[in-house]
Amino acid sequence: MLKGFADDYLDALCVTVPPLPEVTGRLASYDGLLMEAVGLSVPVGTLCRVGSGAGAIEAEVIGFRSGRTLMMNLGGPAPLLPDAPVKPVGGPGEAQVGAALLGRVVDGAGRPIDNQGPIRGAKSWPIAGRHQNPLDRGRVLEPLDVGVRAINGLLTVGKGQRIGIMAGSGVGKSVLLGMIVRSVKADVVVVGLIGERSREVTDFLETKISGEARARSVVVAVPANHSPVLRIRGAMRATAIAEGFRAEGKNVLLILDSLTRVAHAGREIGLALGEPASARGYPPSAIAMLPNLIERAGVDAHSGGSITAIYTVLADGDDGSDPVVDSARSILDGHIVLSRALAERAVYPAIDIGPSVSRVMTDIADKPHVRAARVLRRHLATYEENRDLILMGAYRGGADPAIDKALACHPAIMDYIRQDEDEAIPIEAAVAELTGVFGDA
């Protein structure tokens, strides 16, 4: 009897299950970047393999048009033929996060590119982040020591603040970022190098983030020659990695260099989809993408962790009215403007104190500190307003006490702003020097 029961049970296990149908489309159009497939119905964001064999490439679904699925190439040129098979291989919904990534360098797809083998033991986190109730966002109440005297003293950054570094090309953004990475008092540093030159990626790793800083850092590198989809995914992946550490209660510094290149990638995708261009050629979707990315940083009231985010914003032609600059300025909690004129006078870091601002400084700095910073700003503004008169020799001493005071203080102001690249000034020393010189003025 038992034998008969066992035979029936084994027969039941051998029931043939019909295989699920395989979803496959065909390539109908390809112009080197944008692809169109027919016979394929998958959601936006799905990853697909196009072609077969060694010549196959990966593409991501970005939209639909006239019954066709639009995809964007994630790699380089490929020898694809008409009617090449298109197979969905999964969605880009998860990012690897956690301590397993410390010291590692990954690309926009999360693959390690540092020749240190695969990443093991990592956790998963939604690459687009998790929706957060605004009431779950904590206030910025503690200062963050970044090691740069001018920032610590005059533009004090708080844990959980989002701040932008705005400048034209070649004014010293990367040097300033390197100074911050080496000196910042944060548990983890996540760096997203998005849309930069490949040479700058290697230079940043070997000079700006070497030694002890490398052991507590994660780098997501997506150079300018990569697909615009990968550039956007690289920025989202870097933010997701920072969110994973914040959920563990850590204080994270997220550096995204640069936010402008992310907007450029959004512009390429939007124009490829036929979206109408608006200001400076940017379609609305490219600018609307920035708040979704920036708002993911901040303080988590539940875990106690924070993401202090620094975004570099390239002002093309030193134009402060660029759409990306203007949009970022309205979203961020402060901005640091770098001046080409100061850089030409060998003042480094070339921080233009006048137009720069930290919107949380009054919440995290004591009153003597804030008063001294305002005194320095007032003297600097008075000097700059009368700079032409002073340099021409048209101003006579004693005619205006405010100008006389500004003239007397100007060398001390310039000495306060200047700092060597390999020098780190703790926030306590920066504040003490500021209040000692300008506290009684």
Side-chain angles (χ1 to χ4, degrees), residues 127-160:
I127 196 169
R130 292 175 180 170
H131 179 72
Q132 190 174 31
N133 188 322
L135 298 180
D136 294 335
R137 182 66 56 84
R139 293 183 61 200
V140 179
L141 298 174
E142 297 181 46
L144 178 69
D145 187 356
V146 298
V148 180
R149 180 168 48 210
I151 298 178
N152 281 340
L154 304 173
L155 303 164
T156 310
V157 176
K159 294 179 180 178

Side-chain angles (χ1 to χ4, degrees), residues 371-429:
R371 282 197 300 267
R374 288 174 178 170
V375 169
L376 185 149
R377 282 177 172 272
R378 185 172 67 247
H379 290 329
L380 183 58
T382 301
Y383 180 88
E384 293 298 333
E385 288 173 2
N386 299 276
R387 178 181 176 83
D388 291 341
L389 289 176
I390 295 170
L391 295 180
M392 290 169 55
Y395 174 74
R396 291 184 178 181
D400 188 330
I403 298 178
D404 293 338
K405 187 68 174 177
L407 273 170
C409 292
H410 192 67
I413 293 174
M414 289 295 101
D415 288 340
Y416 190 83
I417 295 174
R418 284 191 182 95
Q419 183 175 332
D420 292 336
E421 181 181 352
D422 57 352
E423 185 181 10
I425 308 295
I427 190 169
E428 296 83 6

Side-chain angles (χ1 to χ4, degrees), residues 248-272:
E248 298 175 0
K250 299 184 182 298
N251 293 315
V252 185
L253 175 67
L254 170 64
I255 293 178
L256 199 62
D257 184 19
S258 71
L259 192 66
T260 304
R261 306 300 186 192
V262 177
H264 287 177
R267 178 172 61 183
E268 292 180 45
I269 295 174
L271 295 178

Side-chain angles (χ1 to χ4, degrees), residues 190-229:
V190 180
V191 181
L193 301 175
I194 311 299
E196 299 298 326
R197 294 181 287 271
S198 298
R199 178 194 62 79
E200 288 189 344
V201 174
T202 303
D203 180 75
F204 195 93
L205 291 174
E206 294 184 358
T207 62
K208 310 292 191 306
I209 201 170
S210 58
E212 295 181 1
R214 183 71 177 269
R216 56 175 178 147
S217 302
V218 182
V219 178
V220 180
V222 190
N225 60 334
H226 285 215
S227 162
V229 175

Side-chain angles (χ1 to χ4, degrees), residues 38-383:
V38 295
L40 188 68
S41 179
V42 292
V44 171
T46 302
L47 294 180
C48 297
R49 181 173 297 276
V50 184
S52 58
I57 63 169
E58 284 191 347
E60 182 174 326
V61 176
I62 60 172
F64 310 97
R65 180 191 298 152
S66 302
R68 293 186 174 188
T69 299
L70 304 181
M71 303 176 296
M72 188 158 281
N73 185 3
L74 296 182
L80 297 176
L81 296 174
D83 294 328
V86 180
K87 298 180 181 179
V89 295
E94 300 292 326
Q96 290 182 310
V97 301
L101 275 79
L102 292 175
R104 303 302 302 269
V105 184
V106 300
D107 63 7
R111 295 183 292 260
I113 56 175
D114 52 6
N115 298 320
Q116 295 184 22
I119 298 173
R120 294 185 173 89
K123 304 173 185 176
S124 294
W125 190 271
I127 196 169
R130 292 175 180 170
H131 179 72
Q132 190 174 31
N133 188 322
L135 298 180
D136 294 335
R137 182 66 56 84
R139 293 183 61 200
V140 179
L141 298 174
E142 297 181 46
L144 178 69
D145 187 356
V146 298
V148 180
R149 180 168 48 210
I151 298 178
N152 281 340
L154 304 173
L155 303 164
T156 310
V157 176
K159 294 179 180 178
Q161 183 177 359
R162 294 84 51 85
I163 196 162
I165 298 178
M166 301 175 177
S169 57
V171 186
K173 295 188 298 297
S174 297
V175 175
L176 180 57
L177 288 179
M179 295 172 66
I180 294 173
V181 168
R182 286 191 295 268
S183 307
V184 68
K185 303 301 181 183
D187 300 323
V188 179
V189 178
V190 180
V191 181
L193 301 175
I194 311 299
E196 299 298 326
R197 294 181 287 271
S198 298
R199 178 194 62 79
E200 288 189 344
V201 174
T202 303
D203 180 75
F204 195 93
L205 291 174
E206 294 184 358
T207 62
K208 310 292 191 306
I209 201 170
S210 58
E212 295 181 1
R214 183 71 177 269
R216 56 175 178 147
S217 302
V218 182
V219 178
V220 180
V222 190
N225 60 334
H226 285 215
S227 162
V229 175
L230 275 181
R231 277 177 262 155
I232 293 176
R233 288 176 61 193
M236 297 174 66
R237 186 174 298 277
T239 307
I241 293 172
E243 288 176 322
F245 284 112
R246 179 180 62 183
E248 298 175 0
K250 299 184 182 298
N251 293 315
V252 185
L253 175 67
L254 170 64
I255 293 178
L256 199 62
D257 184 19
S258 71
L259 192 66
T260 304
R261 306 300 186 192
V262 177
H264 287 177
R267 178 172 61 183
E268 292 180 45
I269 295 174
L271 295 178
L273 288 171
E275 192 174 348
S278 53
R280 301 287 183 90
Y282 287 98
S285 63
I287 302 299
M289 174 181 57
L290 302 182
N292 295 331
L293 188 64
I294 294 172
E295 281 296 321
R296 293 169 62 180
V299 180
D300 189 334
H302 295 294
S303 70
S306 66
I307 299 176
T308 306
I310 298 179
Y311 304 94
T312 65
V313 185
L314 179 63
D316 292 330
D318 296 330
D319 183 7
S321 62
D322 181 271
V324 179
V325 176
D326 197 45
S327 178
R329 188 187 294 114
S330 66
I331 303 167
L332 296 169
D333 303 320
H335 51 272
I336 300 170
V337 179
L338 302 187
S339 167
R340 191 174 300 276
L342 287 175
E344 291 171 350
R345 298 202 296 267
V347 177
Y348 293 103
I351 299 175
D352 194 350
I353 300 299
S356 302
V357 65
S358 172
R359 297 179 182 174
V360 303
M361 182 174 175
T362 54
D363 296 329
I364 59 178
D366 55 27
K367 291 183 178 180
H369 177 190
V370 174
R371 282 197 300 267
R374 288 174 178 170
V375 169
L376 185 149
R377 282 177 172 272
R378 185 172 67 247
H379 290 329
L380 183 58
T382 301
Y383 180 88

